[in-house]
Amino acid sequence: MAFEYLTNIPLDKAKKDYADILKDNGFMAKKETVPVPFSSGRVTASPVYASICAPHYPASAMDGIAVSASSTFGAGETTPVILDKSSFIVVDTGDPIPENMDAVIMIEDIVWLEDGSAKIFAPASPWQHIRQIGEDICAGEMILASNMKISPSAVGAMLAGGVMEVDVIKMPVVGIIPTGDEIVPPTPDPAPGDIIEFNSSIFSSMLRQWDAQPYTFPIIPDKFDEIKAAVEEALEKCDIVILNAGSSAGREDFSTEVIKSVGNVLYHGIAIKPGKPAILGYKNGKPILGVPGYPVSGILVIEQFLKPIIENWYNCSVTKDVYRKAVLSKTVVSGLKYEEFVRVRLGMVNGKLVASPLNRGSGVVSSFMKADGILEIPQGVEGYEAGEEVDIRLLREEKELANTLVAIGSHDPLLDEIMDMLHSVDNSLFMSSSHTGSMGGIMAVKRKETHIAGVHLLDENDGTYNFSYIKKFFPAGGVRLVECVERTQGLMLKEGNPLGINTISDLTKSGVRFVNRQKGSGTRILTDYLCKKENIDTSSIYGYGREEFTHTSVAAQIASDTADAGMGIYSAAKLYGLDFVPVCMEQYDLLIPDSAWDTPMVQKLIEILKSKEFHDRLTALGGYRLTDPGKVREHF
Amino acid sequence: MAFEYLTNIPLDKAKKDYADILKDNGFMAKKETVPVPFSSGRVTASPVYASICAPHYPASAMDGIAVSASSTFGAGETTPVILDKSSFIVVDTGDPIPENMDAVIMIEDIVWLEDGSAKIFAPASPWQHIRQIGEDICAGEMILASNMKISPSAVGAMLAGGVMEVDVIKMPVVGIIPTGDEIVPPTPDPAPGDIIEFNSSIFSSMLRQWDAQPYTFPIIPDKFDEIKAAVEEALEKCDIVILNAGSSAGREDFSTEVIKSVGNVLYHGIAIKPGKPAILGYKNGKPILGVPGYPVSGILVIEQFLKPIIENWYNCSVTKDVYRKAVLSKTVVSGLKYEEFVRVRLGMVNGKLVASPLNRGSGVVSSFMKADGILEIPQGVEGYEAGEEVDIRLLREEKELANTLVAIGSHDPLLDEIMDMLHSVDNSLFMSSSHTGSMGGIMAVKRKETHIAGVHLLDENDGTYNFSYIKKFFPAGGVRLVECVERTQGLMLKEGNPLGINTISDLTKSGVRFVNRQKGSGTRILTDYLCKKENIDTSSIYGYGREEFTHTSVAAQIASDTADAGMGIYSAAKLYGLDFVPVCMEQYDLLIPDSAWDTPMVQKLIEILKSKEFHDRLTALGGYRLTDPGKVREHF
């Protein structure tokens, strides 16, 4: 059941060839006429010319009197002219100029006589103080060229120019066909083996951002005839077709066969990762895009191939790509054979934009949600070293990035609560946290890649937390240790504790499946320490090598019965309704480098730590003891 | 009928006080629940937590066999283990792992025996090659904080996390009340004095961009009771109210009285230009914004005051403001008393961003449409000198600016046709042209502020065009003169030529109203020359001092009967159905500095000049003779 990739076409060549073959086969936008007031954001299909002038009549530009300029000729300081009241008309700014008049004299330049006539001391030149016809727009003038996005002020300019309707490019209708036997519609309660069909919702959302109209078909099972019928129906109803394969092996080959049976396949297999098995198909001028089932692959294929199709449809770009230089926090290795798209988190720390690669698994949709940018590694490049400067395509605004509190270090659900509070209190502030364990946090502070690091590192020698580690890693100081919380660590166990686990030693019992945390995490150090203290050979604990990265993911394994026990904090056990045997209280602190101390993000964080709301939220989570959060325990 | 401005509050203070008083009076967003698949682009009203894990079952990460890891312990190169076919299950990538199993062995690590059992040479560690439950998202984990914009991938993450509905902030409904006796709905055929009501269409379009829902009321005449009734109705139906005054004097005072009668006025009169007469009103927590009638003032007031209200509603920003440094091409003088917003065109010429101020009239809506950026001159600053570096808020994308062909110089409608063709041929290219006359174009080339300049400058001594001027102004060379067209200049006259004008001398006849072009334009130089040749005293021509900036605006004055004659090109006369007495053929060329020659914009321009389509379009316009457009006549 091996994949057969027919081609490994470089991305740029694939894009160009696809655009060319579609064009050669008649790919072309449809047009429609819409009322101008509702045309903002649409794209013009042809040039728009004004049909009337704006203003369409000469209007007074001042408060004063409208006159015939020739009746004022000869007026001077010593030779005033008196205008009979039948020879002028009082006008306000904006009033039309009567037909036989061609100048306005300002109110302050007039001496009024008793009989209502006006005495003036200077001649008016023709058309003085008059807003000319067409000052804004002249009839016949091109207001907008074709293929231009209509702005709100362009709507105003068209209406001012007497244009009531405008030819615009119709939104392309994109049919999305989800396929796969195991695929089920979104549900809060899927059965094992069910794959939730959320790709069409992601793709639809992307399409709407690009001014395309998604049309999602019901899920089609893995049957050639049914898929073929759906594609044929989509070709009838839509301008562009997306065939979304399931994520199991071999599925894509089915798509190729279907596309070949109704139209043509240009390429199957593109030199990109993720997204390799993309299929570039078409029938006449209509694109049929075969998109792999894994969501991250799917998103990238849609972005790389469907977006250009829509841009060709509109003949104008639909998004803005902004690239910025960033320093890589970790070495990234990439294959030479393909162009790779790596999701990264970005943080502006100490004036430097730092990019940290996220989970590269193509099934991990949250990695895309968390991503602040994309590192595009060209084909033929092996990757980049940690510390190297690279170009990142931004997925978030630069200003947001500059106002984002970066947290790298030990995981605790309280960080999410801080994230929520920080943005609610000040909507210009954001937070992004990465869970690397306490030691990872200390290293990130050392490398100046984070504003704060959650740490809870036990010193085995004296049972103290954090101090000895910070002294060791920051001999020159320059960091503050800020008190956060004490939290209860313990054994998380299945509800009712069916295996009767009460101590660390019980983990070695036959039939007990343990799930551990990753090396370098404070919880792992604690677990190792507890085992050592009890003289337990960790190789006798089944699953000791099975590593998870957060308290919640350990709890999730136990709750779903793939493990019986794990070490973690009380709030995670509570969240999953697990039994809990407390083992110790530990100090969870925040390490903050001096360089970050005065940023608005950190100052707001300290405020939040001291707030009643923080106290209340943590009480609701459970298992925390708050003494004086936000206090600087020591300035090293 | 003088304005009475109660206050001259600095912009930032006004914004802050307005936000504070609204908040104190209960301004707050409404919420609603929407299905997750349709939530992209909406803003979360509360944090979103996952209700299930994703994946929600342990899945094979490889093609191979699922086994119980303990059944493989002890396997080695010399001590293979044979797994009976009842003790494993063949799995593909993505398949669920059966309940009693906890590891996957890759297909390539298995030797198959004849009876279907599998021989392995290494032990499987628990959970190897298995995608863990919650690898992507753990149940209970915060997927999104509150007040965050929902991205397409967040839609996927929520659905993967079992979240089917999400609480979002309701779009605020903004009532727009247009008022004014002279205001009429958009029409292609307004009567003199009618003011077309396009403001509500502009405001609505802006509001939609900011995710607010506009609700426009019918036009209300200038009657206190009727305006009051409309405001009361709007307060019932909407979350925010905009009262849009007419543009005549005194109108705003009416708005104040109405707002005071139903609620409160915080400030009337803000230290900004345009937009001074803005009224910041409210009833309880509902904003009632009094917006001046001139469209440019209105746009700025909406942007400065309504956008922050909407951002406070969502508690998140709705647009991205990008500022860039640019060099001013002209000195801008500003009053000390207010903060001024000057619309500018931007051009990236010779690696330098150049900002050219546009028409500052607050009635000129096209100036906003043409603007690429806004120069914000703070209160207390007198303005900036030409050549000074200033911060510009961009209204267009930087990438677009870099790909925009800048044309400054003599006006000809053919430039609009080039603009349309340039963008149609290559949608990454744009064009922006400013009409400063031929001499203005030469100066812009000298100051390195333009890529091309349209020129048609007659040398009075020998009747040649352009050459002598370029030699004089560019003694060191560095420019190319590119052939464009010969065009017919002549007298544009009312249809049927009722005044019997046949020569330049006829312009001095009594009753003939002339309209001229601005000094420095090639057409003005030609007109001056023709008068001199005929020994005509230009002060004897009525209206010789009345200046328009384009051929079309001269034609527009004649067509609308505010003038009888003007000098201009045939295509403009034809556009307005005017009579035309040809005077001469003149050479209209493009002057291009060497530094711009190799840009993609200029190279594409040359292609266009040589194209059949350009020839066809100019034939349709009429009055042009094309010999070899695009040819370099001389490289100086």
Side-chain angles (χ1 to χ4, degrees), chain A residues 265-285:
Chain A
V265 168
L266 171 65
Y267 296 127
H268 179 197
I270 312 296
I272 54 171
K273 183 182 175 182
K276 280 182 292 182
I279 306 164
L280 310 185
Y282 58 97
K283 180 180 187 176
N284 303 328

Side-chain angles (χ1 to χ4, degrees), chain A residues 288-352:
Chain A
I288 311 171
L289 192 62
V291 174
Y294 271 128
V296 175
S297 313
I299 291 172
L300 275 163
V301 167
I302 295 284
E303 183 189 88
Q304 292 299 317
F305 291 101
L306 196 65
K307 194 173 73 144
I309 289 173
I310 291 170
E311 293 185 319
N312 284 340
W313 175 275
Y314 281 117
N315 198 20
C316 89
S317 75
V318 294
T319 54
K320 354 191 167 207
D321 287 343
V322 177
Y323 287 80
R324 287 292 173 263
K325 297 276 180 208
V327 175
L328 259 190
S329 71
K330 263 200 286 201
T331 295
V332 178
V333 177
S334 177
L336 290 169
K337 280 181 67 183
Y338 39 74
E339 175 163 354
E340 186 165 2
F341 296 84
V342 179
R343 281 87 65 210
V344 299
R345 290 215 105 147
L346 293 171
M348 183 67 84
V349 183
N350 225 349
K352 174 177 80 168

Side-chain angles (χ1 to χ4, degrees), chain B residues 88-120:
Chain B
F88 64 83
I89 282 181
V90 175
V91 286
D92 284 334
T93 304
D95 283 352
I97 303 297
E99 240 183 63
N100 53 338
M101 295 175 175
D102 65 359
V104 168
I105 299 171
M106 288 193 288
I107 203 90
E108 46 266 55
D109 292 338
I110 297 160
V111 172
W112 295 104
L113 303 184
E114 268 189 13
D115 65 352
S117 54
K119 194 174 180 179
I120 56 166

Side-chain angles (χ1 to χ4, degrees), chain B residues 455 457 464-468 470 479-486 586-590 597 627-636:
Chain B
V455 288
L457 287 162
T464 61
Y465 275 88
N466 299 328
F467 278 86
S468 62
I470 293 168
V479 293
R480 287 173 174 86
L481 186 67
V482 172
E483 179 173 329
C484 190
V485 296
E486 284 175 279
E586 67 171 12
Q587 187 65 36
Y588 180 89
D589 290 326
L590 299 175
W597 185 257
T627 309
D628 200 358
K631 187 186 83 173
V632 177
R633 282 157 61 82
E634 188 150 334
H635 190 171
F636 292 85

Side-chain angles (χ1 to χ4, degrees), chain A residues 407-412 415 433-445 447 450 452-457 487 517-525 548-551 588 591:
Chain A
I408 300 179
S410 170
H411 168 251
D412 192 291
L415 293 172
S433 46
S434 307
H435 310 138
T436 62
S438 295
M439 283 307 302
I442 283 187
M443 291 308 164
V445 171
R447 290 193 308 263
T450 189
I452 68 169
V455 288
H456 58 112
L457 286 163
R487 58 185 195 178
R517 287 289 307 281
Q518 88 277 18
K519 291 172 203 78
S521 68
T523 303
R524 175 62 171 268
I525 290 171
E548 291 287 334
F549 280 76
T550 65
H551 297 280
Y588 181 89
L591 180 65

Side-chain angles (χ1 to χ4, degrees), chain A residues 404-417:
Chain A
T404 296
L405 177 68
V406 179
I408 300 179
S410 170
H411 168 251
D412 192 291
L414 70 82
L415 293 172
D416 287 340
E417 301 301 323

Side-chain angles (χ1 to χ4, degrees), chain A residues 563-592:
Chain A
D564 302 302
M567 183 71 77
I569 55 174
Y570 175 77
S571 59
K574 185 182 168 211
L575 187 64
Y576 281 81
L578 301 178
D579 272 27
F580 188 77
V581 177
V583 169
C584 62
M585 290 297 280
E586 67 171 11
Q587 186 64 38
Y588 181 89
D589 290 325
L590 299 175
L591 180 65
I592 306 181

